[in-house]
Amino acid sequence: MKIYTIGGYEEIGKNMTAVEINNDIFIFDMGIKLDRVMIHEDTNLQDLPPKKLRKIGAIPDDSILDKKNVKAIILSHGHLDHIGAIPKMAFNYRCPIIGTKYTISLISSLIKEEPFSECKNQLIATNKNIEIGNYEIEFINSTHSIPETKFVALHSKEGTILYTGDFKLDMHPTIGKKPDFKKLKELNPKVMITDSTRAPEETKTPSEKVAVTMLQDFLLDSYDEKKGIVTTTFASHIARIKTLIDTAEKMDRIPILLGRSLCKYYGTALRLGIVKEKAKMIKRRSSIEKKLKEINKEKEKYLVITTGSQGEIDAVLSRIANKETPLLLDKGDTVLFSTSTIPHPINIANRYKLESKLKMREVRIIKDVHVSGHASKEDLRELLRIVNPENIIPTHGEYTMLASWAELGEEEGYRIEKDIFIRRNGQKVVIE
Ligand SMILES: [Zn+2]
């Protein structure tokens, strides 16, 4: 059994791992890395050809793989750092792309948005198990920050491979079900390939339920009734958007979703019945301007939910702060960020500018009303004790994150290079 660590082993982004068993290859995820913020949002990916993207290190370099032996590309969830390279490179493989219904819907729209994409692969949307030749692919319930995220188990005669994808162990998710510990316990995998983004954090990641309490604590109990409230979160964070809509209704305010990516992700979740909470969704710039003019006259009637949580220059929130829209925020109005600032120098600079402009107008700023979607060290320990894999390969992180996972593994009795392996992009692990 060979595991190829193709992308996501030196960074957060462009995740891609492949497993080879008796010359049959299965690929887990095929992501893009443009900028860390864009993994959660939309961007004009269609303008960038594959060759250029590979050169700048934005998509994985898959030259290590014998492409004709690839049987399937399996996707763990719909964030762009896991699916964003599909329209750019999946056509090199003559195999189906398999994912849950929500993930495959996002893939379909990514391919459609890219007029010259050669991606003609069969798309298989399933939330159940699927057989390919002598192999069985099992999607096991997981929790993260986008709907229908799964742990993926590949069952073969040589043993089971568990690819965790991104996850947290949320026992109180606000949409979807809890992680399926019973199934995880039964797997006895030969290898577990696993998320290490928050492995250095010596804590347990709080449940999404905590974010609900934090949001309601502010919005329901301490707001000035006659003032404007503008909120922002990641466009793909459907659970959070649902809470914002719920809370707006409790406040007798009308929830309004503004921005193309918010409407795309939330609209897909509504269409698939993942959420029921409806809100007016406006994506076209001219329509957004018109609505903001109305809102400006009666700010106390609305709760605005918008793109731009990282201070992205062209997003609705930045344009509001720049007074480029008819909604004029002033003393006592509130801007609430239901995200963390992803610590990239560009985001930090953009957020600083955005916040300074708001403060100059005496707008109240409420930051970090957020919980992470990634497991911290003590969640990873819990998963390890439940799954008890023979071997561990940490992925989805910079070197220090992979190393923190390895340290945790050693605390639990594993040994580096014996049964826990740290690799860089473009390398492999051979397991006898
Ligand atoms: Zn993710």
Side-chain angles (χ1 to χ4, degrees):
M1 192 182 282
K2 290 181 196 136
I3 291 103
Y4 299 98
T5 59
I6 297 168
Y9 292 79
E10 297 177 15
E11 65 267 295
I12 296 177
K14 62 167 171 180
N15 291 288
M16 181 167 170
T17 300
V19 175
E20 181 175 341
I21 305 164
N22 300 330
N23 292 329
D24 295 327
I25 300 177
F26 291 85
I27 292 173
F28 298 110
D29 290 340
M30 196 173 269
I32 197 157
K33 179 192 186 240
L34 283 176
D35 180 345
R36 289 197 211 171
V37 62
M38 291 176 187
I39 65 179
H40 298 283
E41 304 286 338
D42 259 357
T43 185
N44 282 334
L45 297 175
Q46 58 267 42
D47 299 339
L48 300 163
K51 241 189 195 162
K52 180 161 185 214
L53 286 168
R54 180 158 306 154
K55 206 171 161 195
I56 62 171
I59 59 174
D61 180 349
D62 60 353
S63 50
I64 195 171
L65 290 182
D66 191 347
K67 298 193 176 47
K68 66 179 190 307
N69 291 338
V70 175
K71 302 293 172 209
I73 299 166
I74 310 162
L75 304 171
S76 60
H77 68 291
H79 281 147
L80 287 175
D81 58 335
H82 294 258
I83 67 168
I86 291 280
K88 305 292 181 186
M89 50 195 284
F91 57 81
N92 291 318
Y93 301 90
R94 289 179 183 278
C95 72
I97 299 169
I98 304 168
T100 58
K101 291 173 186 165
Y102 189 72
T103 306
I104 293 294
S105 291
L106 297 177
I107 290 280
S108 300
S109 63
L110 270 187
I111 294 169
K112 264 185 223 142
E113 283 160 19
E114 193 135 0
F116 304 111
S117 174
E118 297 166 58
C119 184
K120 304 274 188 292
N121 305 59
Q122 182 194 5
L123 299 179
I124 302 178
T126 176
N127 292 18
K128 295 191 186 134
N129 297 6
I130 178 164
E131 277 180 28
I132 301 224
N134 296 323
Y135 302 86
E136 190 183 13
I137 296 155
E138 184 179 17
F139 284 121
I140 300 169
N141 221 51
S142 176
T143 46
H144 182 40
S145 49
I146 186 167
E148 296 186 354
T149 298
K150 299 287 178 182
F151 295 114
V152 184
L154 174 69
H155 300 287
S156 78
K157 290 198 177 99
E158 323 296 323
T160 294
I161 290 96
L162 174 64
Y163 177 80
T164 70
D166 297 354
F167 73 97
K168 67 193 275 188
L169 299 180
D170 191 340
M171 300 311 283
H172 307 279
T174 57
I175 54 175
K177 290 185 192 151
K178 291 187 275 193
D180 191 339
F181 289 149
K182 192 171 165 274
K183 282 246 168 77
L184 289 171
K185 225 173 198 147
E186 290 164 359
L187 291 176
N188 297 313
K190 206 159 182 73
V191 187
M192 178 168 84
I193 303 158
T194 179
D195 182 6
S196 59
T197 305
R198 280 177 69 85
E201 308 293 327
E202 294 187 328
T203 183
K204 180 173 164 34
T205 303
S207 165
E208 183 60 22
K209 197 172 128 188
V210 173
V212 175
T213 307
M214 286 163 86
L215 270 172
Q216 294 190 341
D217 188 39
F218 179 76
L219 290 172
L220 296 181
D221 300 336
S222 64
Y223 70 98
D224 183 338
E225 284 185 347
K226 292 191 182 58
K227 290 295 177 181
I229 304 176
V230 175
T231 64
T232 181
T233 188
F234 295 117
S236 59
H237 205 318
I238 304 304
R240 196 65 56 77
I241 299 165
K242 170 184 140 65
T243 301
L244 287 166
I245 294 171
D246 276 341
T247 311
E249 272 152 18
K250 289 199 176 94
M251 298 164 79
D252 274 328
R253 288 185 181 231
I254 303 163
I256 306 272
L257 262 59
L258 301 179
R260 193 169 70 100
S261 49
L262 260 175
C263 296
K264 177 178 119 176
Y265 285 103
Y266 198 76
T268 305
L270 269 175
R271 188 163 49 75
L272 294 177
I274 292 165
V275 284
K276 292 193 289 293
E277 291 73 7
K278 293 214 171 76
K280 187 144 187 75
M281 294 189 269
I282 307 172
K283 51 185 164 187
R284 292 235 317 272
R285 190 174 279 205
S286 57
S287 313
I288 292 173
E289 302 285 303
K290 214 172 126 199
K291 184 47 97 178
L292 288 175
K293 201 170 178 181
E294 275 175 46
I295 295 172
N296 195 52
K297 286 182 202 148
E298 297 177 295
K299 288 181 198 168
E300 71 280 6
K301 275 196 168 176
Y302 297 91
L303 185 114
V304 177
I305 305 165
T306 180
T307 51
S309 67
Q310 303 300 313
E312 299 91 326
I313 291 165
D314 211 29
V316 182
L317 185 55
S318 285
R319 293 198 293 115
I320 292 173
N322 290 339
K323 296 190 185 173
E324 288 167 17
T325 78
L327 176 60
L328 300 170
L329 296 182
D330 50 30
K331 189 170 182 175
D333 291 333
T334 295
V335 172
L336 181 145
F337 294 87
S338 192
T339 55
S340 52
T341 312
I342 297 170
H344 186 284
I346 296 171
N347 302 339
I348 294 167
N350 284 343
R351 272 286 294 264
Y352 179 78
K353 275 194 262 178
L354 172 67
E355 289 173 29
S356 302
K357 283 174 194 159
L358 294 169
K359 280 178 196 163
M360 269 155 40
R361 304 220 296 273
E362 297 180 71
V363 172
R364 303 169 75 196
I365 294 174
I366 312 287
K367 293 202 269 194
D368 299 324
V369 188
H370 182 62
V371 296
S372 170
H374 291 273
S376 303
K377 186 177 178 183
E378 289 313 312
D379 305 287
L380 298 173
R381 191 192 306 279
E382 205 174 330
L383 181 81
L384 187 54
R385 289 181 179 179
I386 292 165
V387 175
N388 197 20
E390 280 178 41
N391 300 280
I392 305 168
I393 304 176
T395 183
H396 200 277
E398 293 158 10
Y399 191 77
T400 47
M401 299 163 184
L402 308 181
S404 293
W405 222 130
E407 256 177 12
L408 164 63
E410 292 211 323
E411 283 172 27
E412 294 292 313
Y414 292 80
R415 284 290 164 266
I416 289 183
E417 281 305 309
K418 179 172 167 275
D419 45 20
I420 182 159
F421 302 92
I422 293 187
R423 290 291 181 272
R424 309 295 274 161
N425 291 345
Q427 299 186 327
K428 68 179 173 194
V429 178
V430 179
I431 289 165
E432 300 302 331

